[in-house]
Amino acid sequence: MSEIQLKNQVPVDEQALIEERPFRLSHILRLSIFQMGSAMADILTASVWNRVMIADFGMPATPVGLLLALQYLLLPITFWAGHRSDTKMLWGKRRVSYIWFGRTWMVLAMPILGASLPYFQSGNASVGWLLAIVSFLMFGIGKLFSGSVYLALVRESAPRAKQGIAIGIVETTLILFFPITAVTYGRWMEHYDAQTFTTMILVTAVLCAFFWFIATVRAEQNTAVSEAAASKIDGSIHEMRAKFQIIWQDHRVRRFFTFLFIATFAAWMQDNILEPFGADVFSLQAGTTTRFTGIWGGATIIVLIACFIGFRRRKPQFQSSITKGGLTVMAVGMSLLAISSFIEQTNLLMVGLLIFGIGFGFYTFGGLSLMAVMSPDKDAGAYLGLWTACILLSKGLGTFAGGAFRDLFLLGAGLSEAVTYLLVFALAAVGLLLAATILSGAQVISFAGDYGRSTEQ
């Protein structure tokens, strides 16, 4: 066994505590309430505020987009917070206190963001931008500080064989509430009104605080391993760097990171161009193109629920085949979108969206299970911080790249709209197939065995 494995292997008594922990669906569903607040907070900042700034105030999209991307400059926070929650208790808790601390910053950031809009409206944009920057910095710090710690708490609330399902349930809740929240906010304020937006900000802040608190209060009662696993390491930045170097030395970690990055990057290349694609190639109205995300997102939710039922007894370390299959199906969906662009067949477009969503469901279920396996018990917060940072960065870059390729082919190279979208979707399909090739099920099982999980099905 390597030096890395010896340093990180979980003690036998701690393994016993983890295996004895029962799977309580009611507890996981309570933890899922947390994601209702997360969806509300993200839609408010990334969708509603974004729309008001560009559509109602006529602000350039570039500085607004840069402000939304500001959190990506803070990505090391998520690894540091996860590692610190592994190694140092905060206010007597291993996870929950870190979550509350981070989410408090997010709640406080919302009124500041609301306060920025009157300055833009009155022509005092410099003050408006200053308040918006402060708000997004606070929001990003809080989100990154608490996100991976929350996933670690969810993971620790289930026995090893069910940890992937536990994380999958809470992530499914997040996916489900994104469109619900977006539609609700859209109907609440169809056009900007200062008083309505102020009310929306305050109600969202209160509801988010309530959901985040009620979901996590006393949630560590099911994680008796918390105090046993917490070490006396100080959790400093220097210690974090040393921990990252140890983790990154394992070639299986680097390969899984590469797989996760490419898969997420390719999967989200469509996000920024899907609705313009419907308008440019098929001349579809906004009322139709806004349903695109609902079509593939709805299929994803249905498949995820089916996976929870059908594969609930399967150990998470053996989900690589499901993950690869999901990526392959997603690539087929992207290919159909590319073909539909070339032959301009609306029916094929809808079929492509549906198949992409089905594949995304299988990929999400399998990928989340593998993330749980690739996060050993002792350092779950640090590993989940690494995977969270990978997903956030690759999703942001993938979304940007889809739009950038579209502009490059259409405006730069002068290609037709049909050929432009064909090429972008084809690149996404290639990326998804490449990710499926990189993922090594044997290495995941090997990693699981080195950290105390059974390698027998």
Side-chain angles (χ1 to χ4, degrees):
M1 188 175 292
S2 69
E3 182 181 355
I4 298 173
Q5 296 158 8
L6 288 171
K7 286 182 179 180
N8 290 283
Q9 195 172 25
V10 183
V12 175
D13 58 340
E14 188 173 319
Q15 291 180 18
L17 285 171
I18 295 167
E19 294 298 343
E20 291 173 0
R21 185 179 304 120
F23 179 79
R24 294 170 53 198
L25 181 59
S26 59
H27 182 66
I28 302 302
L29 291 177
R30 180 165 77 90
L31 287 171
S32 298
I33 294 173
F34 187 93
Q35 300 291 46
M36 295 167 61
S38 299
M40 292 178 67
D42 284 345
I43 293 297
L44 180 71
T45 54
S47 182
V48 178
W49 184 84
N50 177 56
R51 187 197 74 192
V52 169
M53 288 290 289
I54 297 174
D56 296 295
F57 290 177
M59 294 292 175
T62 299
V64 174
L66 289 175
L67 199 55
L68 292 172
L70 189 61
Q71 63 178 324
Y72 297 120
L73 300 177
L74 308 171
L75 279 177
I77 291 176
T78 191
F79 181 84
W80 174 71
H83 167 63
R84 187 174 176 84
S85 72
D86 289 333
T87 58
K88 193 172 182 62
M89 309 276 279
L90 177 64
W91 305 324
K93 296 290 185 180
R94 188 187 184 200
R95 306 293 190 195
V96 171
S97 297
Y98 286 91
I99 295 170
W100 287 352
F101 180 79
R103 295 290 146 158
T104 298
W105 278 69
M106 294 174 66
V107 171
L108 294 176
M110 294 181 200
I112 298 176
L113 185 64
S116 70
L117 291 183
Y119 288 98
F120 288 111
Q121 197 171 19
S122 65
N124 196 353
S126 58
V127 177
W129 285 117
L130 178 61
L131 289 174
I133 290 171
V134 171
S135 175
F136 274 97
L137 280 174
M138 291 176 61
F139 189 89
I141 289 171
K143 180 179 178 180
L144 295 173
F145 191 89
S146 55
S148 60
V149 182
Y150 166 71
L151 288 180
L153 175 65
V154 172
R155 179 190 176 280
E156 290 170 351
S157 298
R160 282 202 177 116
K162 304 292 185 181
Q163 287 172 345
I165 291 178
I167 294 178
I169 289 174
V170 301
E171 291 300 292
T172 299
T173 304
L174 181 65
I175 296 172
L176 177 63
F177 272 89
F178 272 138
I180 292 175
T181 305
V183 171
T184 301
Y185 281 164
R187 292 182 176 178
W188 190 352
M189 189 181 70
E190 296 184 3
H191 301 285
Y192 174 70
D193 175 76
Q195 184 175 355
T196 302
F197 188 75
T198 300
T199 303
M200 184 184 293
I201 286 274
L202 295 178
V203 170
T204 301
V206 171
L207 286 178
C208 285
F210 173 76
F211 289 144
W212 291 332
F213 176 78
I214 203 69
T216 55
V217 63
R218 302 189 64 181
E220 283 193 74
Q221 63 183 349
N222 283 356
T223 54
V225 71
S226 299
E227 294 186 26
S231 72
K232 295 183 180 179
I233 302 174
D234 60 11
S236 64
I237 297 294
H238 175 75
E239 217 295 309
M240 178 204 74
R241 291 173 181 168
K243 173 59 66 177
F244 176 80
Q245 291 175 353
I246 292 174
I247 290 174
W248 198 248
Q249 284 177 28
D250 193 329
H251 68 94
R252 297 167 300 189
V253 170
R254 297 195 299 271
R255 182 161 183 160
F256 188 78
F257 184 97
T258 304
F259 144 73
L260 195 59
F261 186 96
I262 294 176
T264 307
F265 183 98
W268 288 98
M269 281 181 65
Q270 49 78 28
D271 189 53
N272 199 29
I273 63 168
L274 199 54
E275 289 196 43
F277 166 58
D280 292 343
V281 177
F282 298 94
S283 301
L284 297 175
Q285 299 299 314
T288 302
T289 60
T290 52
R291 299 193 195 106
F292 286 177
T293 301
I295 292 172
W296 74 260
T300 297
I301 294 295
I302 293 172
V303 171
L304 277 170
I305 294 173
C307 286
F308 294 142
I309 297 172
F311 301 115
R312 65 185 184 279
R313 299 186 185 279
R314 189 171 185 175
K315 294 179 180 178
Q317 55 266 40
F318 299 104
Q319 304 286 19
S320 295
S321 59
I322 294 175
T323 309
K324 289 184 175 183
L327 287 168
T328 303
V329 173
M330 290 168 69
V332 172
M334 282 290 102
S335 299
L336 291 178
L337 290 181
I339 296 172
S340 74
S341 176
F342 187 71
I343 65 176
E344 298 186 15
Q345 284 290 325
T346 308
N347 291 336
L348 190 60
L349 159 65
M350 297 303 177
V351 172
L353 289 173
L354 187 62
I355 291 177
F356 176 78
I358 291 172
F360 201 94
F362 284 110
Y363 161 69
T364 301
F365 176 81
L368 291 173
S369 297
L370 298 181
M371 277 176 53
V373 174
M374 296 296 293
S375 305
D377 299 303
K378 180 184 175 185
D379 299 307
Y383 277 88
L384 286 168
L386 179 62
W387 307 140
T388 301
C390 175
I391 291 172
L392 288 174
L393 180 61
S394 54
K395 180 180 178 181
L397 290 176
T399 301
F400 170 79
F405 280 128
R406 183 252 187 202
D407 291 346
L408 176 65
F409 295 144
L410 183 62
L411 304 178
L415 300 177
S416 68
E417 291 170 332
V419 173
T420 290
Y421 287 104
L422 181 151
L423 291 174
V424 176
F425 292 135
L427 285 173
V430 170
L432 292 167
L433 292 175
L434 176 61
T437 303
I438 292 173
L439 176 61
S440 171
Q443 289 190 354
V444 172
I445 294 172
S446 169
F447 187 92
D450 287 343
Y451 290 91
R453 291 178 183 265
S454 171
T455 57
E456 296 183 0
Q457 289 190 356

